[in-house]
Amino acid sequence: MDFAKQHADIFGEDDDDEPTNQDGGTHSSSPSSSSSSSSSSSSSSSSAASSSGSEKPESSSGNSRSGATTGGGGAAEDEEEHGEEATTNNDGDDDKDLFGSDNEDYTRTPATSPFLIPVLPVIRNNNHNQGRGGFGRGGRWQPGHQNDRGAGILPRPGPYPQRGHNNFGYGKFSNGRHDERFVSELRLSKSEETLSRKVIQIQEPCEFACYSRVEGGDVIFDESSLRLFKRLITEDIGADLNQGFDTFTAKKDLGSQGFGDLLACIRDKNIPLQNIHFVTYRNNLNKILATAYIRNEPWEMGVHKRNGVVYLDVHKLPERPQNEMDRRRCYWGYCFESLATEDPGRGDGELIHDVDANIEYCSVIKTKLGAHRILMGAEMDCCDSTDDGRRFYVELKTSRELEYHTEERFEREKLLKFWIQSFLAGVPYIVIGFRDDSGRLVRTERLRTKDITQRVKMKNYWQGGVCLAFADEVLCWLYGTVKENEDYILQFAPPFQRLELLQAQSCPEAITNHVEQL
């Protein structure tokens, strides 16, 4: 067979439409198939020839060349062999077996071919359908093809930018900005099912100390501001929660000064911090646990590590300006707290007045979440006592009266926050005052904290164990990442795909003074 003529036939213009495999870059033809099918006979004959010793010394190199060529199956190597065979056997019989028992002609084949490596013809794509099945010739891997499916798993040649290059660790879910303060991140990639498999132990909260903020802003390390729950709150059904709004004193933003009052109480009671991992207000832990399910509310907090203790300072984000209706809704909660607690200075039938949101009572509680010991301050609304005189705290909340289309959101979001806040501090009961849109108290409901999780679990809304497992992940990452005597900001910001740890410029004076006085 004339291999030179066959070379022209295979790669000529007459065979442009022959099927080719572009991914591998090889060209299949009938001669190469026959060559591959006879490779086993070549191997056996070469072995016999070498064992007999009748061949020239160069036969061993030629034989190894033959084995490498037929075994590799590369297109370029096959074509080199075919081209050299054509020059050696142009005058021979087409039916002669080059791989026969004599093997004389094959052993005279040079190691290199004088022919250039063949180039495959340009693929002419006549298929203009870019829908399903467009992954062959002219598919999405061709230059100029609109590829909207992103980079593949493995790198491939061509003008396709690889994902994540020079993206500063932000990856696919980047929020579009690079912050020079960036230190580390925790991606929220674990599913609810994965977190639900983790069993996180939490120690029963134990109260160590307390302090009160009285009228005028002074702090006293006692329980003088603690109020007593009024059990006959049902008698106030129908009360107007707008009463006393004109004399209301709104809560002041104390910033880090409020955290300093908690640290001062710890020093006053000589509470040891050697084995404590985190010191914080409960509000910061509320944010972390709720993020397991609520992924659309931004927040941030200060993170400062001193002597092995991580102090979490409360940061208040800027809020939109409130109109009068917003301020009234905020006041309705304070008014309900006044209605639901005993006030010796208010006579029977006397309206609520002179409500001061700055007067508060705070309990200092020690607990353990997973492997981390936590000392936290938690503001308490009021307390009640059992028949045997054991005191317990009660959480007071207000909410709009439920309707069929608002009940699900109430149980998914509000009950989640109510449960987290009460569970972390060991508060056994929550009393909710439901009101209408005008601010009139419609009804009250008392919930046991431990019953809330069963109520929502039946509807598959959320699981308390998932919140604890998520918080354990965050605390482990946070404590292992921050360095001694350095300051950070932990934030959860749009697009709400991760927690970010940023470098801070300074430490609050309240924490610095606290460490110096220890």
Side-chain angles (χ1 to χ4, degrees), residues 333-370:
Y334 290 108
C335 184
F336 177 72
E337 291 180 2
S338 298
L339 281 176
T341 54
E342 301 286 354
D343 186 1
R346 188 176 72 244
D348 294 339
E350 185 179 356
L351 297 178
I352 302 296
H353 59 86
D354 296 326
V355 176
D356 190 351
N358 297 285
I359 300 176
E360 60 183 9
Y361 168 82
C362 187
S363 174
V364 182
I365 299 170
K366 180 181 178 182
T367 185
K368 184 179 180 182
L369 177 62

Side-chain angles (χ1 to χ4, degrees), residues 6 10 21 59 65 124 151 169 178 185 206 220 251 279 291 296 311 373 378 389 394 402 406 462 469 486 506:
Q6 184 182 2
I10 294 176
N21 185 359
S59 64
R65 176 67 176 172
R124 286 183 274 183
H178 171 59
E185 67 177 13
C206 178
I220 305 174
K251 194 167 188 175
V279 176
T291 306
N296 59 351
Y311 297 89
R373 295 180 176 88
V394 178
L402 300 181
T406 61
W462 50 267
E486 291 196 8
S506 61

Side-chain angles (χ1 to χ4, degrees), residues 50 72 91 135 138 152 199 277 289 293 326 328 353 357 368 399 445 468 475 482 494:
S50 60
D91 298 330
F135 295 89
V199 179
H277 298 97
L289 268 73
Y293 287 96
D326 295 331
R328 283 188 178 274
H353 59 86
K368 184 179 180 182
S399 178
E445 181 179 357
L468 297 177
L475 296 182
V482 298

Side-chain angles (χ1 to χ4, degrees), residues 409-468:
R409 183 178 180 183
F410 172 81
E411 293 181 341
R412 283 186 180 273
E413 298 182 8
K414 276 204 168 184
L415 273 188
L416 172 62
K417 295 180 179 180
F418 292 171
W419 176 82
I420 291 174
Q421 184 175 1
S422 301
F423 177 79
L424 285 176
V427 179
Y429 292 101
I430 305 172
V431 176
I432 306 176
F434 291 93
R435 46 86 184 170
D436 60 16
D437 292 334
S438 63
R440 188 167 299 277
L441 186 63
V442 177
R443 65 183 178 93
T444 60
E445 181 179 357
R446 190 187 74 165
L447 298 177
R448 293 176 58 175
T449 303
K450 65 179 182 180
D451 293 340
I452 295 178
T453 51
Q454 297 299 324
R455 172 177 173 177
V456 298
K457 187 177 182 180
M458 296 169 55
K459 302 179 181 179
N460 199 26
Y461 288 161
W462 50 267
Q463 301 178 52
V466 172
C467 298
L468 297 177

Side-chain angles (χ1 to χ4, degrees), residues 397-410:
K397 296 292 183 183
T398 56
S399 178
R400 185 177 181 271
E401 176 65 308
L402 300 181
E403 300 175 358
Y404 72 95
H405 62 278
T406 61
E407 183 176 0
E408 179 178 347
R409 183 178 180 183
F410 172 81

Side-chain angles (χ1 to χ4, degrees), residues 475-489:
L475 296 182
C476 288
W477 163 73
L478 190 61
Y479 194 86
T481 303
V482 298
K483 298 179 181 180
E484 184 69 26
N485 295 324
E486 291 196 8
D487 308 298
Y488 308 87
I489 295 176

